C-alpha cells in the first residue's frame, strides 16, 4: 500500500493496517459530518452566488464522486471496459470519464466499453475525450514530461538520445520542487547548452500518447512551451544527435512528438 505525501513526490510504503484504519475513520466522518456539510454548502453557495454557485458546488461534488468511483471500481472497470494493455482505471486524481477517454484514444475499449462511451456521447458529444484531464497526478502509468518546441523555417528542433532510434522534443522530467520554467530551463541547458529566456516563455499545449519502449497502457504526457534562448545550440549530455525535422519526417519522432507535429501543421507553422 502506498501514500502520496505530495504531488510529484515518490510514493512511500505504509502498513496495510494503517490504510484500513484511515478508511474506517474517513467513512465514519463522512457518515456523521457529510450530510451536515452538504446542507451547509448548498445554502452557503445559494446565498453567496445564487443558482450559479449551487451548480458549481454540485459539479465539484460530482467530479469528486467520479474520482472516488475510478478508485472504488477500478478492478471491475479494468476487466469489463478495456482490453489487456489499456490505460488502467484507478488513478485517484482522475475521473472515470478521463480514463475512458484515454483508452478511446488508444483504441483499447472493449465492446462494453464502446457501448458505455457511445451512451455518454449521446448525452454529451465527445464526452470522454473532452473529459481527459491533462493535469492529472502522474502515476506509474502516466509519465509527466516537459518539452521545448522551437520552430525555424517550418522545421522543428528535435534530439535523439544515445542508443535510441527515435527523435523527441527536447526536454525532460521535473526534479522535486521545480516549476515548469525551472525544470525545462535546466533540462535544455543540460541537453543543448543554451539558456532559455524566462520572459519569452509561452505555453503551447499538452500532448499525450503511448510511451515509447514502455508496456502498453503506459502514457507519456508532454507539457510543451516555446521560448527564445541565449547561446549556441550544441548537443550535450546523453544527446547523440540534434536535427531539424519537418512534417514529412514525423515518422522519425516519438509518438507524443508526432502529436506536436500534427498540431503545428494545423497551425500552418510546419
Amino acid at each position: 500500500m502506498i501514500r502520496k505525501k505530495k504531488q510529484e513526490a515518490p510514493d512511500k510504503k505504509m502498513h496495510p493496517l494503517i490504510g484500513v484504519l484511515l478508511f474506517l475513520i474517513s467513512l465514519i466522518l463522512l457518515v456523521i459530518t457529510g450530510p451536515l456539510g452538504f446542507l451547509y454548502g448548498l445554502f452557503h453557495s445559494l446565498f453567496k452566488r445564487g443558482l450559479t454557485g449551487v451548480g458549481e458546488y454540485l459539479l465539484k461534488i460530482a467530479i469528486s464522486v467520479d474520482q472516488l468511483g475510478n478508485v472504488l471500481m477500478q478492478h471491475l472497470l479494468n476487466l469489463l471496459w478495456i482490453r489487456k494493455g489499456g490505460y488502467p482505471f484507478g488513478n485517484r486524481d482522475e475521473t472515470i470519464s478521463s480514463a475512458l477517454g484515454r483508452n478511446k484514444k488508444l483504441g483499447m475499449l472493449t465492446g462494453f466499453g464502446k457501448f458505455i462511451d457511445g451512451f455518454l456521447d449521446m448525452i454529451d458529444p465527445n464526452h470522454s475525450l473532452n473529459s481527459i484531464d491533462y493535469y492529472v497526478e502522474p502515476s506509474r502509468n502516466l509519465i509527466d514530461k516537459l518539452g521545448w518546441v522551437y520552430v525555424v523555417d517550418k522545421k522543428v528542433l528535435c534530439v535523439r538520445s544515445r542508443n535510441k532510434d527515435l527523435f523527441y522534443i527536447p526536454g525532460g522530467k521535473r526534479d522535486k520542487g521545480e516549476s515548469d520554467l525551472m525544470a525545462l530551463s535546466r533540462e535544455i541547458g543540460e541537453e543543448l547548452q543554451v539558456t532559455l529566456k524566462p520572459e519569452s516563455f509561452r505555453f503551447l499545449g499538452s500532448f499525450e500518447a503511448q510511451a515509447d519502449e514502455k508496456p502498453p497502457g503506459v502514457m507519456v504526457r508532454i507539457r510543451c512551451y516555446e521560448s527564445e534562448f541565449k547561446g549556441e545550440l550544441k548537443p550535450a549530455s546523453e544527446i547523440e544527435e540534434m536535427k531539424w525535422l519537418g512534417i514529412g519526417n514525423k515518422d522519425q519522432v516519438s509518438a507524443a512528438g508526432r502529436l506536436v507535429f500534427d498540431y503545428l501543421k494545423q497551425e500552418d507553422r510546419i
Side-chain angles (χ1 to χ4, degrees), residues 81 96-98 100-105 109 112-132:
W81 287 12
I96 293 175
S97 296
S98 174
L100 186 70
R102 284 191 161 98
N103 281 289
K104 184 176 183 177
K105 286 181 66 176
L109 293 178
F112 190 19
K114 291 177 181 177
F115 170 77
I116 296 296
D117 181 69
F119 175 74
L120 292 173
D121 278 350
M122 291 174 58
I123 301 172
D124 177 27
N126 292 319
H127 175 82
S128 63
L129 294 178
N130 292 335
S131 297
I132 294 176

Side-chain angles (χ1 to χ4, degrees), residues 14 171 194:
M14 62 182 292
V194 296

